């Protein structure tokens, strides 16, 4: 399925409730293995870009992220890109999930390096959010190690209530009744 935004798609507008340029974005979920502060997380950290719409993210590549000897696993790079692109859309619109993520791996990434990612929303069409980003080696204008394009689809809170594990949702403050109602709704 294509994820090319239509040529006449509306340009994204910054959500006035989003943090200002330069400010650190908060993790969308503390348990996230991309940006949460939990064991096994890549600990991707993000800041709002100067234009107030794009997002800059940092990913420190460690031994535990290896795929080949001394080199970053491609799936880990995809996780970092998914998280960075997901953080970019939160500057513009409500909750959404990744429907499609396309990644090009352009350069091997050595363990011990830092990747700087830049992501932005390209277009919004109904529930569809078209996002793209690049991962640069060592600095923001460093060599491009990978690029990604993604389609996110807006979902309501019922998506998480319906499909998530009750114990995790309860820990976030959702009641058993609300979770049960979302699960039994058609
Ligand atoms: C109280 C609890 C709350 C807790 C919430 C906490 C946190 C979460 C909140 C926000 C998240 C914030 C930031 C995100 C940050 C990091 C990124 C991580 C993101 C992820 O890691 S997220 C996990 C992986 N992700 C999934 O787990 C999705 C599984 N999946 C589905 O849940 C469904 O698949 C869904 C919902 C995606 C769509 O289902 P659906 O039924 O709503 O929509 P439908 O299928 O009808 O598609 C509608 C139109 O999109 C087109 N379309 C669909 N899929 C396409 C594709 N792949 N390629 C091209 N076009 C596609 C169709 O062709 C149609 O197009 P058209 O309208 O033109 O016909």
């Amino acid at each position: 399925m294509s994820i090319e935004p239509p040529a006449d798609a509306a340009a994204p507008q910054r959500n006035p409730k989003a943090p200002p340029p330069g400010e650190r974005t908060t993790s969308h979920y503390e348990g996230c293995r991309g940006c949460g502060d939990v064991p096994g997380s890549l600990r991707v950290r993000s800041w709002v870009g100067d234009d107030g719409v794009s997002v800059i993210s940092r990913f420190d590549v460690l031994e535990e992220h290896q795929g080949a000897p001394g080199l970053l696993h491609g799936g880990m790079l995809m996780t970092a890109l998914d998280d960075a692109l997901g953080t970019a859309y939160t500057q513009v619109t409500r909750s959404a999930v990744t429907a499609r993520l396309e990644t090009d791996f352009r350069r091997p990434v050595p363990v011990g390096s830092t990747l700087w990612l830049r992501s932005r929303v390209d277009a919004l069409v109904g529930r569809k959010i078209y996002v793209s980003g690049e991962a640069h080696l060592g600095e923001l204008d460093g060599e491009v190690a990978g690029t990604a394009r993604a389609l996110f689809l807006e979902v309501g809170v019922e998506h998480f209530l319906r499909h998530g594990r009750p114990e995790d949702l309860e820990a976030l403050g959702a009641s058993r009744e609300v979770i049960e109602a979302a699960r039994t709704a058609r």
Side-chain angles (χ1 to χ4, degrees):
M1 278 192 269
S2 164
I3 56 167
E4 195 63 50
D8 58 351
Q13 300 292 316
R14 184 167 174 274
N15 179 345
K17 290 187 188 152
E23 194 159 301
R24 176 100 185 260
T25 65
T26 49
S27 169
H28 57 273
Y29 172 49
E30 192 45 49
C32 175
R33 264 47 182 180
C35 59
D37 191 13
V38 287
S41 169
L42 302 187
R43 294 192 161 79
V44 174
R45 281 164 285 159
S46 297
W47 296 264
V48 180
D50 288 346
D51 56 7
V53 181
S54 64
V55 161
I56 308 297
S57 309
R58 175 180 178 146
F59 170 31
D60 293 316
V61 179
L62 308 177
E63 293 230 1
E64 61 253 39
H65 305 140
Q66 287 180 99
L71 296 175
L72 175 63
H73 192 296
M76 301 280 184
L77 178 54
M78 287 187 83
T79 302
L81 283 161
D82 190 14
D83 206 280
L85 270 57
T87 302
Y89 89 66
T90 60
Q91 307 312 303
V92 172
T93 187
R94 302 177 309 121
S95 61
V97 290
T98 323
R100 189 176 175 93
L101 174 64
E102 298 176 352
T103 305
D104 292 306
F105 301 93
R106 309 271 288 272
R107 290 284 176 272
V109 179
V111 166
S113 54
T114 293
L115 284 175
W116 288 96
L117 294 77
R118 192 191 292 275
S119 325
R120 87 276 319 161
V121 175
D122 298 313
L124 289 171
V125 183
R127 292 173 59 212
K128 295 180 184 175
I129 311 165
Y130 298 86
V131 193
S132 62
E134 306 83 35
H136 299 260
L137 260 172
E139 48 200 356
L140 250 183
D141 57 357
E143 205 175 5
V144 174
T147 61
R149 295 196 315 166
L151 173 68
F152 287 83
L153 275 171
E154 260 189 13
V155 292
V157 73
E158 63 279 2
H159 175 93
F160 306 99
L161 293 170
R162 189 168 203 173
H163 302 292
R165 288 192 308 183
E167 56 268 37
D168 297 322
L169 296 162
E170 281 183 88
L172 286 174
S175 71
R176 281 250 161 217
E177 293 73 36
V178 168
I179 297 167
E180 203 47 48
R183 289 182 177 225
T184 50
R186 250 183 26 89

